[in-house]
Amino acid sequence: KTTSPAKKPAAAVAKKKAAPASKEKAAPKGEAAPKEEAAPKGEAAPAPATEEPPAPENPPEQSTTSTDEPAPIPMEAGAAETPVPAEGSPAPSAELTAPESTLEKPKEEPPSCPLSLAVEEVSENSFTLTWKAPEQMARAGLDGYVVEICKDGSSDWKAVNQELFLSTRYTIPNLSSGDKIHVRVMAVSASGASVPATLEQPVLIREILQLPKIRMPRHLRETYIRRVGDAVNIMIPFQGKPQPEVSWTKGGQPLDTNHINIRNTARDTIFYIRQAQRSDSGKYELTVQINGAEDKATLDIQVVEPPGPPQNLKLVDVWGFNVALEWTPPADNGNSEIKGYRVQKSDKKSGKWFTVLERCTRTSCTISDLIIGNTYSFRVFSENICGLSDSAAVASGVAHIEKTKTAYQPEKIPQREMMEPPKFTQPLTDRTTTRGYSTHLFCSVRGFPQPKIIWLKNQMEIREDPKYIALIDQGVCSLEIRKPGPFDGGVYTCKAVNPLGEASVDCRLDVK
């Protein structure tokens, strides 16, 4: 009985090379090949089939004769025996004897070589490989990859993976430091293994040294400012292999570990002060060193507090609505630059303080627009990065804004001659109106004294007639003709008369 073949390990599959199909063994000399039917006369006999005849159900017992020569195969009745060529005579051509139906199909080719084999990382006892899949795959796909290694100077290749895998990344462990290892990778499919992809140079198993380097955070590259009493907690990362030595100094002297705590790890160092004091201000030097190679960085810390008040505040002068003040900078700036001064005023009536100037950069100022009759006091604060000083400098004196005594002098107006004869500034205009609709005539006149206005119709004075209403206002003369008729048409005249003379204008009115 036949049994299913066992699964082959990756090493065994790798050793099996993709080769062309081997030819079947030729029949032993002197043995006749079986034929199913006798070839017709005059035709060449076909070659025997390559398939073996089926085994009988009750196989005969094995012969005790030598196994070098196989037992003759019985032929069917009537089959002609194929003559065996004599020694030295050429064998019949396979093309003439083998029918087309019995030709074997070409065997499938194995996959191509893996691409871009490279070393990704090397450690003290292992290294990691990466590669890309081959361009040409088998029809059924890849079964996986085989990784083999060989020590430098040896030709004994050994597979490092027990089973095939499909990942294109593999780590080879359990290596000895200092060894030089050659490595190659093969792609395996059902049709065989590919040509191996081999690294050109052996891999040296050793720990890659990394020079020390401090990664100073961006916000620590400038002055690090904290207030008095605040905690200082700074972490600065670094790199280097093997583990670097870390040291801190200030002014070339080691730090006071009772006040400043330093904790180092494999990748960073932590600088910690529970409550910062102004004496902690200064430049701290950080050094990271490996076997003579080192990297340095400087940490500048400034611990500040609010400044003191200004000094020698004086009320220099008071004039009109203005006051002039002067002072000197504070004795203690709080370990920080003074950014300016804040000036405030307070009047005696309300007693409240109001800010007059903010961030005054000079040590003097002028305050204007004060109210007459009020008495003012003044004070000044100093300001730095922490804010205003806790107290202010108050001026010793007060400023009283007095009322200014002035004498009223009336304006002298020159005498002008106001007398003027009448003069029309706007004449009358001709009008056309409709019967039964009231109509107005307008003109304007000036003169001093005010002239007398007389209206005339066709050179006849219009007296107290209810049909006409004459008015004058601010030199504008008007005449209303109420519901005019055909007989109300004609020439209307406006005459202005005063002691200096007279003037007149006229117009024509048509009634339709």
Side-chain angles (χ1 to χ4, degrees):
K1 296 181 181 180
T2 59
T3 58
S4 58
K7 186 178 181 181
K8 296 181 181 180
V13 176
K15 290 183 179 180
K16 182 180 178 181
K17 304 295 183 179
S22 61
K23 297 181 179 179
E24 296 183 359
K25 293 183 181 181
K29 186 177 181 182
E31 183 180 341
K35 295 185 178 180
E36 294 182 359
E37 294 181 358
K41 188 176 180 180
E43 295 183 4
T50 56
E51 297 181 358
E52 296 180 1
E57 294 181 0
N58 299 322
E61 295 182 359
Q62 295 182 358
S63 174
T64 57
T65 58
S66 174
T67 59
D68 295 339
E69 296 183 2
I73 301 174
M75 295 183 295
E76 295 180 2
E81 184 177 350
T82 303
V84 179
E87 293 183 2
S89 61
S93 173
E95 296 180 357
L96 299 176
T97 58
E100 294 182 0
S101 61
T102 59
L103 290 178
E104 291 186 357
K105 295 182 181 180
K107 195 171 183 180
E108 187 179 355
E109 294 183 359
S112 60
C113 176
L115 304 175
S116 304
L117 179 62
V119 178
E120 182 182 67
E121 183 181 1
V122 180
S123 66
E124 194 173 4
N125 54 7
S126 66
F127 67 92
T128 302
L129 297 170
T130 58
W131 62 88
K132 294 182 180 179
E135 291 183 354
Q136 297 181 2
M137 298 284 192
R139 184 176 303 174
L142 289 180
D143 292 341
Y145 298 96
V146 176
V147 180
E148 293 183 346
I149 62 173
C150 174
K151 288 187 177 182
D152 191 25
S154 174
S155 60
D156 185 14
W157 289 91
K158 295 181 179 180
V160 293
N161 55 316
Q162 298 298 327
E163 295 183 358
L164 298 177
F165 61 93
L166 292 175
S167 174
T168 57
R169 186 177 183 274
Y170 188 77
T171 300
I172 303 175
N174 303 326
L175 300 175
S176 300
S177 179
D179 287 348
K180 291 183 177 180
I181 303 297
H182 294 271
V183 64
R184 66 185 184 184
V185 178
M186 291 175 289
V188 180
S189 69
S191 58
S194 69
V195 177
T198 308
L199 289 175
E200 296 181 358
Q201 300 294 333
V203 181
L204 177 60
I205 307 303
R206 65 178 178 87
E207 184 179 10
I208 298 178
L209 294 177
Q210 188 179 29
L211 293 177
K213 180 67 176 178
I214 299 174
R215 301 293 183 183
M216 181 67 75
R218 186 181 298 274
H219 70 281
L220 297 179
R221 298 175 188 175
E222 300 178 355
T223 303
Y224 184 71
I225 301 176
R226 303 297 292 173
R227 297 190 63 166
V228 172
D230 290 349
V232 178
N233 191 3
I234 297 172
M235 183 182 71
I236 302 177
F238 57 82
Q239 65 185 26
K241 285 186 180 182
Q243 176 67 35
E245 297 179 2
V246 181
S247 61
W248 286 87
T249 58
K250 181 182 180 183
Q253 301 297 325
L255 304 183
D256 181 10
T257 56
N258 295 328
H259 181 63
I260 302 175
N261 298 319
I262 302 294
R263 186 174 66 87
N264 300 322
T265 65
R267 295 183 178 180
D268 53 50
T269 178
I270 297 177
F271 181 97
Y272 178 74
I273 302 176
R274 185 178 297 275
Q275 291 183 344
Q277 304 297 328
R278 289 179 60 171
S279 59
D280 295 326
S281 301
K283 294 185 178 181
Y284 295 81
E285 296 83 19
L286 170 62
T287 304
V288 178
Q289 185 176 9
I290 302 175
N291 297 331
E294 64 179 20
D295 189 22
K296 292 185 177 181
T298 301
L299 175 63
D300 189 6
I301 297 179
Q302 183 178 359
V303 183
V304 299
E305 60 183 345
Q311 295 181 322
N312 305 322
L313 177 60
K314 296 179 182 179
L315 186 62
V316 179
D317 193 9
V318 179
W319 74 98
F321 312 114
N322 310 303
V323 172
L325 299 175
E326 287 185 356
W327 63 90
T328 58
D332 182 13
N333 62 359
N335 199 28
S336 178
E337 180 184 1
I338 298 296
K339 291 188 173 183
Y341 301 91
R342 180 174 295 184
V343 182
Q344 295 182 342
K345 68 178 180 180
S346 173
D347 61 277
K348 189 176 181 180
K349 293 181 179 179
S350 65
K352 296 181 180 181
W353 290 96
F354 299 92
T355 299
V356 180
L357 296 175
E358 288 186 351
R359 293 285 180 93
C360 177
T361 56
R362 297 177 290 111
T363 56
S364 62
C365 70
T366 299
I367 302 174
S368 304
D369 299 331
L370 299 177
I371 299 175
I372 294 176
N374 284 1
T375 301
Y376 292 93
S377 299
F378 302 93
R379 68 182 183 182
V380 179
F381 291 88
S382 55
E383 184 177 4
N384 67 357
I385 194 172
C386 289
L388 297 176
S389 57
D390 296 333
S391 60
V394 181
S396 56
V398 294
H400 181 68
I401 309 302
E402 297 181 354
K403 296 182 179 179
T404 304
K405 296 181 180 180
T406 57
Y408 175 72
Q409 295 181 356
E411 183 180 0
K412 294 181 179 180
I413 302 175
Q415 295 295 329
R416 295 181 59 184
E417 181 64 37
M418 303 297 294
M419 303 298 287
E420 184 180 6
K423 182 180 180 181
F424 283 92
T425 58
Q426 182 69 33
L428 293 172
T429 58
D430 295 341
R431 296 288 304 276
T432 301
T433 184
T434 304
R435 178 180 178 179
Y437 289 89
S438 297
T439 302
H440 290 79
L441 302 178
F442 293 97
C443 62
S444 59
V445 66
R446 73 181 183 184
F448 190 83
Q450 183 175 353
K452 178 182 177 181
I453 303 300
I454 301 173
W455 287 93
L456 297 94
K457 175 188 175 184
N458 297 328
Q459 302 300 322
M460 295 181 64
E461 183 178 354
I462 300 174
R463 297 187 179 274
E464 296 180 358
D465 189 343
K467 192 176 186 65
Y468 302 97
I469 299 176
L471 298 174
I472 181 170
D473 184 17
Q474 300 293 328
V476 178
C477 305
S478 64
L479 177 66
E480 181 182 358
I481 305 172
R482 303 177 64 186
K483 297 180 179 180
F487 298 99
D488 292 324
V491 178
Y492 286 83
T493 303
C494 181
K495 182 184 291 185
V497 181
N498 73 356
L500 298 180
E502 64 179 30
S504 64
V505 292
D506 53 20
C507 68
R508 184 171 184 82
L509 178 66
D510 293 332
V511 180
K512 294 184 179 180

